[in-house]
Amino acid sequence: MPMQITKAVFPVAGMGTRFLPATKANPKEMLPVVDKPLIQYAVDEAISAGITQLIFVTSSSKRAIEDHFDKNYEMESELERRGKQDLLDILKGILPEGVSCVYVRQPVALGLGHAVLCARPVVGNEPFAVILADDLINGNSKPCLGQMMDVYKELHASVLGIERIDPGMTQRYGIIKTDGGNNRVFNVNGIIEKPHPDVAPSDLAVVGRYLLRPEIFGFLEKTERGAGGEIQLTDAIAMLLKEQAVVAYEFDGKRFDCGDKLGYLKATVEYALNHAELGDAFREYLKSKIGDLGNAE
Ligand code: UTP
């Protein structure tokens, strides 16, 4: 089995109902944060962590994602004709040389676990990454997936990206059970999808980053519909960890839940404030706006 993880699965076949009507004809993953679609932030993070094959699990309403990562000859030649080299570089930088894309269809949105299982024929018998683009993560020391790769290289065990959450919010996440850990790495003894706060085993929630060993596929095949009537990746991980070590890694960085309107707005504000061209002007605008709000109270 290869030691290096070079394949990443991007499940993008969900319906994005929380963002309707914006997501009726446009994929949620194509929503921009300032000037880049969410899926491109996820892809950039993967590539910076050494991923060279991008596997998108898509559905019929997600064609814009394929177009985004495809070459647009007409636009490129027009920009070239106009001498817009800076814009051309942006287009050419979307998919660097040596990185390839594969698209697999998930015919019915049966859940995240089912979406990952759809990628099995492309992933094969290799460890792989799973990235949910609607969890936008701004890593501090380095991008989140790169931090997790370092843990994988040391332990060769599946690694789940986790975050400490408000204990009242456990019903939104997969929650791990652990007997402790150190240096941000926790042993995972159990995992449960969307538990009520009264029965949640911890306040450590799995977010949209996973490094998984290929044995997960055998368990996904056996996984029945769970929380929300969906085939849950969490339930397959619960079976996997009975047979082999699974660890959780509390990443160093800030996550924005961009599948949720408020989280998306927060991401937009933070990324706009940090934007090289817009940051200063946007900060001034926000200051004046806050002044207006203060006067209105
Ligand atoms: P979400 O739980 O955010 O679901 O899925 P969703 O359908 O995208 O959004 P809402 O809740 O209806 O607003 C988490 C991730 O798993 C993918 C989604 O595309 C998203 O990236 N997913 C989910 C699939 O690929 N297939 C599924 O059957 C379900």
Side-chain angles (χ1 to χ4, degrees):
M1 192 185 298
M3 299 305 260
Q4 183 91 355
I5 300 182
T6 58
K7 296 181 178 180
V9 175
F10 299 86
V12 292
M15 293 200 290
T17 54
R18 282 171 291 165
F19 256 102
L20 283 169
T23 47
K24 181 167 177 247
N26 291 311
K28 169 173 76 174
E29 297 79 7
M30 285 301 291
L31 291 173
V33 170
V34 187
D35 51 6
K36 234 167 54 165
L38 283 170
I39 190 69
Q40 199 186 321
Y41 285 98
V43 161
D44 289 350
E45 181 182 332
I47 293 172
S48 76
I51 297 293
T52 53
Q53 190 173 69
L54 315 172
I55 304 163
F56 298 92
V57 182
T58 71
S59 65
S60 56
S61 59
K62 306 282 179 144
R63 290 197 190 97
I65 295 176
E66 290 181 48
D67 291 342
H68 183 73
F69 291 102
D70 200 358
K71 207 171 166 62
N72 185 334
Y73 285 103
E74 214 177 307
M75 189 178 270
E76 283 187 20
S77 58
E78 184 57 27
L79 289 174
E80 215 160 311
R81 198 183 62 76
R82 294 189 197 175
K84 302 270 187 196
Q85 191 56 43
D86 48 341
L87 297 178
L88 257 177
D89 291 345
I90 291 177
L91 285 195
K92 289 186 174 165
I94 290 177
L95 198 66
E97 250 171 65
V99 178
S100 61
C101 297
V102 179
Y103 298 90
V104 180
R105 280 284 178 101
Q106 184 189 23
V108 190
L110 292 179
L112 176 60
H114 181 255
V116 172
L117 186 57
C118 290
R120 183 180 199 173
V122 189
V123 173
N125 192 32
E126 290 185 28
F128 62 104
V130 176
I131 302 187
L132 306 188
D134 47 6
D135 270 335
L136 177 60
I137 300 182
N138 196 358
N140 285 338
S141 48
K142 60 159 105 170
C144 177
L145 200 71
Q147 297 176 34
M148 291 170 63
M149 287 283 196
D150 292 342
V151 177
Y152 182 82
K153 278 177 198 150
E154 210 181 305
L155 302 175
H156 301 290
S158 295
V159 185
L160 315 177
I162 55 161
E163 178 180 271
R164 209 172 276 283
I165 55 153
D166 170 351
M169 305 293 263
T170 55
Q171 272 168 307
R172 286 195 185 186
Y173 298 91
I175 304 291
I176 66 157
K177 180 171 180 238
T178 178
D179 54 11
N182 58 47
N183 278 342
R184 299 180 173 269
V185 181
F186 296 78
N187 301 317
V188 182
N189 309 122
I191 184 167
I192 174 166
E193 186 65 25
K194 300 188 171 62
H196 189 275
D198 292 346
V199 295
S202 73
D203 59 354
L204 296 170
V206 179
V207 298
R209 300 291 182 279
Y210 307 78
L211 296 177
L212 296 170
R213 290 181 55 93
E215 292 82 7
I216 192 70
F217 289 124
F219 295 108
L220 278 170
E221 278 194 329
K222 289 187 224 159
T223 304
E224 311 216 325
R225 287 177 188 240
E230 296 193 333
I231 296 175
Q232 298 287 354
L233 181 56
T234 303
D235 294 343
I237 295 171
M239 290 188 257
L240 179 73
L241 62 84
K242 290 196 176 120
E243 306 238 325
Q244 55 177 249
V246 174
V247 298
Y249 174 74
E250 190 179 4
F251 62 87
D252 177 23
K254 190 164 180 186
R255 178 185 70 100
F256 298 92
D257 178 4
C258 292
D260 169 82
K261 286 177 210 165
L262 186 59
Y264 176 75
L265 287 175
K266 287 180 185 173
T268 302
V269 170
E270 293 250 358
Y271 278 69
L273 285 171
N274 289 326
H275 194 276
E277 286 162 32
L278 300 173
D280 290 344
F282 187 61
R283 183 167 288 101
E284 286 314 307
Y285 169 72
L286 275 191
K287 277 187 197 158
S288 71
K289 195 75 202 156
I290 288 164
D292 290 352
L293 288 175
N295 292 337
E297 273 168 13

